[in-house]
Amino acid sequence: MKHVDEYRDGELARAIAQRIGEEARSDRRYRLMEFCGGHTHAISRYGIEDLLPQNIRLIHGPGCPVCVLPMGRIDDAIRLAARKEVTLCTYADLMRVPASGGSSLMKAKADGADIRMVYSTLDAIAIAEKEKDRQVVFFAIGFETTTPPTALAIRLAQKKRLANFSVFCNHVLTPAAMQAILDTKDGVEIEGFIGPAHVSTVIGSAPYRRFATDYHKPVVIAGFEPLDVLQAILMLVRQIDEGRCEIENQYRRAVTETGNAKAIDEMAEIFELRESFEWRGLGEIPKSALKLREAYAQFDAEKRFSMVTQPARDNPACECGAILRGQKRPQDCKLFGGACTPETPMGSCMVSSEGSCAAYWAYGRFRQYAPRQNATRKAS
């Protein structure tokens, strides 16, 4: 297949779904976690769950980089932006994530902080070049997919000798979070993973081997289109029924075993592992995030501004943490569709387009219960 439309063919999708229904054993349950916000988005958009037999459950994992960033790091960015000499550059998704005390980067900007939305790391570099009297800080977040562009920006800043540019680094690692999910004693039961797409184009399929060998969980790396996801589900069903635990690559048109060697080398040159890092919903995970190496310490905003993260507690009524762990779905949160909507988000899962709550809302997965909640609110 050469064109996107071919990956969205309804007849082919129904045919694959029928094959899944025929091959899945009726006497067992299949609990499969997709570990990518793009997959969650596709599953909701194309109604993939509606095509599957009831004994196959898709569990939404912590695959949204905005969602897993803890509130304390958002608070850090707001305090940083409040400094008179600082211009904070950030992606748009982060602007509306709730912070402590009902604050957010958007509200901080309205209060006068110099916060600018950018489309790439190079936009932040351009601002630093143009405004030499400002301390320009790039708020870097994301999995392995967005880490190479941050490394490139640091390399470019060094080449251009930009003394007014630094990075507030919050890059996190996918395999570490997958392991944390499996190591959680009271966690959700999972028979297999739909492996992430964009992340795997960078790191390849090899880093997932330990989930097959040590945890006996099959992983099928899948693309983002509905036929990709359905084919990955069929591949997982076959592995589970045959008692196999292997790493399979459905997304062969973009993912290799070794990944992007140049990007991996660049990340290794600029970054090193943190001993530990807090994830929203997952808590502290050892060796799950990156920081700048000492050789690039002059571009480390945490060191430049002596930043110390203060623990912050999420809204206790928001179930974002449990949703990111796969223990609950958006409709299990009493705020969803009522107090919490894209216009009035109570948690990060409703803010980012890759969040489970945002995906459910965007594609009508809330309609079966939102009217009841709205009626309850009117009655009160």
Side-chain angles (χ1 to χ4, degrees):
M1 293 186 285
K2 299 179 181 178
H3 304 99
V4 170
D5 288 347
E6 294 177 277
Y7 293 92
R8 301 175 182 175
D9 187 294
E11 290 186 13
L12 281 176
R14 285 186 287 273
I16 298 173
Q18 182 177 352
R19 180 63 62 85
I20 293 171
E22 292 169 349
E23 296 195 19
R25 288 171 43 181
S26 60
D27 61 341
R28 74 180 310 161
R29 291 189 300 166
Y30 303 83
R31 287 156 296 198
L32 313 175
M33 175 177 278
E34 84 269 6
F35 216 92
C36 179
H39 288 149
T40 304
H41 181 92
I43 289 165
S44 293
R45 178 180 182 183
Y46 296 104
I48 289 175
E49 288 180 294
D50 300 337
L51 299 175
L52 302 175
Q54 291 187 351
N55 60 333
I56 296 181
R57 180 189 170 193
L58 300 182
I59 302 169
H60 312 313
C64 165
V66 172
C67 302
V68 300
L69 191 67
M71 186 178 288
R73 302 294 279 189
I74 301 292
D75 291 343
D76 288 343
I78 292 173
R79 285 192 291 269
L80 186 60
R83 298 176 67 112
K84 292 182 179 180
E85 75 275 21
V86 169
T87 295
L88 184 74
C89 295
T90 181
Y91 295 131
D93 271 4
L94 282 168
M95 292 294 292
R96 297 174 63 245
V97 177
S100 296
S103 185
S104 68
L105 288 168
M106 184 72 77
K107 292 179 180 178
K109 180 178 176 65
D111 289 338
D114 188 358
I115 301 174
R116 308 186 197 181
M117 290 178 283
V118 295
Y119 292 100
S120 74
T121 57
L122 297 184
D123 290 342
I125 290 289
I127 292 171
E129 281 189 288
K130 185 178 179 180
E131 303 180 26
K132 295 291 181 64
D133 60 326
R134 303 291 298 166
Q135 283 292 326
V136 178
V137 181
F138 177 66
F139 190 179
I141 72 159
F143 299 114
E144 294 90 342
T145 313
T146 55
T147 308
T150 303
L152 173 64
I154 293 169
R155 181 81 75 181
L156 192 58
Q158 184 185 52
K159 182 179 179 180
K160 293 177 176 290
R161 298 181 180 180
L162 294 177
N164 65 326
F165 177 81
S166 59
V167 169
F168 178 35
C169 184
N170 294 273
H171 286 300
V172 291
L173 306 176
T174 303
M178 293 174 69
Q179 181 175 335
I181 289 285
L182 293 173
D183 286 341
T184 302
K185 293 181 180 180
D186 60 346
V188 64
E189 293 186 45
I190 298 169
E191 275 75 46
F193 287 103
I194 301 173
H198 283 156
V199 165
S200 300
T201 63
V202 176
I203 67 174
S205 61
Y208 307 112
R209 286 177 188 159
R210 68 175 184 263
F211 301 116
T213 57
D214 299 344
Y215 291 88
H216 308 292
K217 304 294 182 184
V219 179
V220 175
I221 298 165
F224 291 117
E225 298 301 329
L227 295 189
D228 291 324
V229 177
L230 284 166
Q231 186 178 19
I233 293 169
L234 178 58
M235 294 165 73
L236 283 168
V237 166
R238 288 173 173 171
Q239 282 206 53
I240 293 167
D241 286 348
E242 295 168 8
R244 294 185 289 117
C245 294
E246 301 173 3
I247 308 303
E248 292 186 304
N249 183 11
Q250 183 277 335
Y251 200 32
R252 288 178 294 177
R253 63 186 185 272
V255 173
T256 65
E257 182 178 9
T258 56
N260 186 325
K262 187 173 182 179
I264 292 171
D265 289 345
E266 192 70 12
M267 289 189 293
E269 167 67 24
I270 304 292
F271 301 104
E272 62 183 355
L273 287 173
R274 293 179 186 264
E275 285 301 312
S276 183
F277 191 79
E278 181 188 357
W279 293 55
R280 187 190 300 262
L282 301 180
E284 290 284 337
I285 303 179
K287 302 187 184 303
S288 64
L290 300 174
K291 63 179 181 178
L292 275 65
R293 291 188 179 275
E294 190 60 35
Y296 299 91
Q298 69 267 36
F299 301 109
D300 189 338
E302 292 182 74
K303 292 184 177 180
R304 180 175 294 189
F305 299 100
S306 302
M307 298 173 65
V308 178
T309 300
Q310 300 296 324
R313 185 186 178 196
D314 291 334
N315 185 334
C318 176
E319 297 286 2
C320 188
I323 291 169
L324 290 169
R325 294 190 297 273
Q327 294 174 329
K328 292 188 177 183
R329 292 186 169 220
Q331 63 263 40
D332 297 325
C333 180
K334 60 185 178 183
L335 300 181
F336 180 79
C340 184
T341 69
E343 287 73 33
T344 58
M346 297 290 109
S348 58
C349 294
M350 185 61 88
V351 176
S352 172
S353 59
E354 293 192 358
S356 299
C357 296
Y360 271 53
W361 179 272
Y363 300 110
R365 299 291 154 183
F366 64 94
R367 289 175 184 154
Q368 57 182 308
Y369 43 85
R372 174 181 59 80
Q373 292 192 348
N374 290 335
T376 301
R377 292 176 67 197
K378 288 179 181 179
S380 62

